[in-house]
Amino acid sequence: MKSVWVILVNYKNYELTIECVESLRKSKSDNLHIVVVDNNSPDNSYEQLTEKLPDEIIIKSEENNGFSAGNNIGIKYALEHNADYIMLLNNDTVIDEAMIDQLLSKADDLTVTVPKMYYYSQPETIWYAGGTINKKIGKTYHIGENKHDDGSFDEQKYVAFATGCCIMMSREVIQKVGLWDEAYFLYWEDVDYSFRLAEAGIKILYVPEARLWHKVNASTGSSSPLTVYYATRNRMYVMKKYKFPITAWIYFYLTRSIYLVKNIFMKNDNQYILRAMRAYRDKKTGKCEM
């Protein structure tokens, strides 16, 4: 039976990680290994994880170099220990007990698989039922987002965008495509990886019967300085790297200008969006001290 190694990245949220692991332990998968990478949390996350998850593999990164870096540590460990398949999973999720086997049954050396994802706070409302990338305006979309699950999104199909929240990959896929790009630190690295999968001839298959529930933005917040900075800067990097058309840049600068003006009237701080745009101009990548 093929082995599946699940990689979780923790940063200052060991309670979320423990709950996620507890749901993984209920999985019907028989050959499952769990690796938790603590991204050098400044709290006592590592100690809590090692104490409360004694049967799992807990690795502490020497420093926090972001989402991709944490996942890469886990991926390399799994590959070194002969993993057949690797599943990246956000630590702020709870999975259905059959999800792993359902994703595994459809994955192969030319196909990665992704599940249907719901809001944890609204268990029948879809967060992701596959994803698309609109290069004309430089945005990604979750199919079915905020829709009640009435069966309309139960068709298995190939999609263009795999969110890093959950993705099942064979070791051959990873060896062909490579590790995740650590230059992003946070956000848009999954868009980058989706493009790289396509370039390598790897398809992304949405498997609707596989399900999880996501505590959306539990770790970072939807409008935190962290989110605003990295989502802005990294979107520009992706648009440049994958040669998005001029319409995407026009749309980006138009919407950012509206956002900046709106913030002035609402007396919100614009420094992080402006810092992000300067960082792109100055070719700064990786972590930014907030």
Side-chain angles (χ1 to χ4, degrees):
M1 178 171 289
K2 299 293 186 181
S3 64
V4 177
W5 289 64
V6 181
I7 312 301
L8 304 174
V9 177
N10 176 80
Y11 185 69
K12 297 195 302 183
N13 275 299
Y14 64 84
E15 297 97 339
L16 291 177
T17 301
I18 291 169
E19 186 174 358
C20 182
V21 170
E22 288 173 348
S23 79
L24 285 166
R25 286 174 173 167
K26 298 174 184 176
S27 172
K28 294 180 179 179
S29 182
D30 291 328
N31 198 355
L32 184 65
H33 307 265
I34 301 170
V35 179
V36 178
V37 179
D38 180 62
N39 252 350
N40 196 30
S41 299
D43 60 3
N44 63 338
S45 280
Y46 178 73
E47 291 74 18
Q48 289 288 335
L49 292 168
T50 53
E51 177 186 343
K52 297 182 179 180
L53 301 175
D55 297 326
E56 316 305 342
I57 301 159
I58 315 295
I59 302 172
K60 184 169 184 177
S61 174
E62 293 184 0
E63 60 181 302
N64 178 19
N65 287 318
F67 179 78
S68 289
N71 275 306
N72 286 342
I73 289 171
I75 290 170
K76 287 185 278 189
Y77 182 94
L79 292 177
E80 289 168 0
H81 289 78
N82 302 312
D84 295 308
Y85 282 83
I86 291 173
M87 190 179 81
L88 305 187
L89 181 66
N90 273 18
N91 70 323
D92 56 351
T93 59
V94 172
I95 72 164
D96 180 78
E97 61 182 13
M99 186 195 81
I100 292 176
D101 283 347
Q102 289 163 335
L103 292 178
L104 182 61
S105 70
K106 305 293 184 179
D108 57 38
D109 296 348
L110 293 175
T111 309
V112 303
T113 52
V114 293
K116 181 187 289 182
M117 308 184 198
Y118 301 87
Y119 290 93
Y120 183 84
S121 59
Q122 302 173 67
E124 295 184 356
T125 301
I126 294 171
W127 179 68
Y128 171 95
T132 62
I133 303 171
N134 187 335
K135 292 187 72 171
K136 289 183 179 179
I137 61 173
K139 291 189 70 175
T140 63
Y141 294 94
H142 289 191
I143 298 168
E145 186 172 13
N146 296 321
K147 301 289 187 181
H148 178 76
D149 188 14
D150 60 1
S152 301
F153 303 96
D154 287 349
E155 178 188 357
Q156 178 178 289
K157 60 182 178 180
Y158 293 109
V159 297
F161 167 53
T163 169
C165 181
C166 182
I167 178 171
M168 175 79 75
M169 303 176 285
S170 71
R171 69 179 295 117
E172 287 77 13
V173 165
I174 296 171
Q175 289 169 340
K176 185 174 184 179
V177 180
L179 297 173
W180 288 54
D181 192 338
E182 298 179 13
Y184 294 97
F185 187 77
L186 189 66
Y187 297 120
W188 283 79
E189 63 283 289
D190 49 5
V191 184
D192 176 88
Y193 208 78
S194 295
F195 276 117
R196 289 167 59 195
L197 287 167
E199 290 176 346
I202 310 297
K203 293 183 178 180
I204 302 166
L205 181 64
Y206 163 64
V207 183
E209 61 268 27
R211 302 178 302 157
L212 67 73
W213 291 264
H214 184 201
K215 301 170 186 176
V216 178
N217 296 315
S219 299
T220 59
S222 61
S223 59
S224 69
L226 193 77
T227 300
V228 170
Y229 176 85
Y230 289 111
T232 300
R233 186 197 70 179
N234 294 343
R235 179 176 170 183
M236 299 173 79
Y237 283 136
V238 167
M239 290 196 302
K240 179 180 180 181
K241 181 176 179 179
Y242 295 100
K243 298 180 173 59
F244 282 34
I246 188 64
T247 53
W249 292 95
I250 292 171
Y251 182 86
F252 172 82
Y253 282 111
L254 177 62
T255 53
R256 294 308 90 185
S257 297
I258 293 171
Y259 181 86
L260 288 168
V261 171
K262 182 179 177 180
N263 276 359
I264 290 172
F265 282 103
M266 296 181 66
K267 297 182 180 180
N268 292 335
D269 192 349
N270 273 323
Q271 68 162 309
Y272 294 103
I273 191 169
L274 295 173
R275 284 175 63 184
M277 296 170 78
R278 286 195 296 268
Y280 170 77
R281 178 198 65 192
D282 298 337
K283 302 179 180 180
K284 293 181 179 178
T285 60
K287 185 177 182 179
C288 172
E289 294 300 331
M290 291 292 171

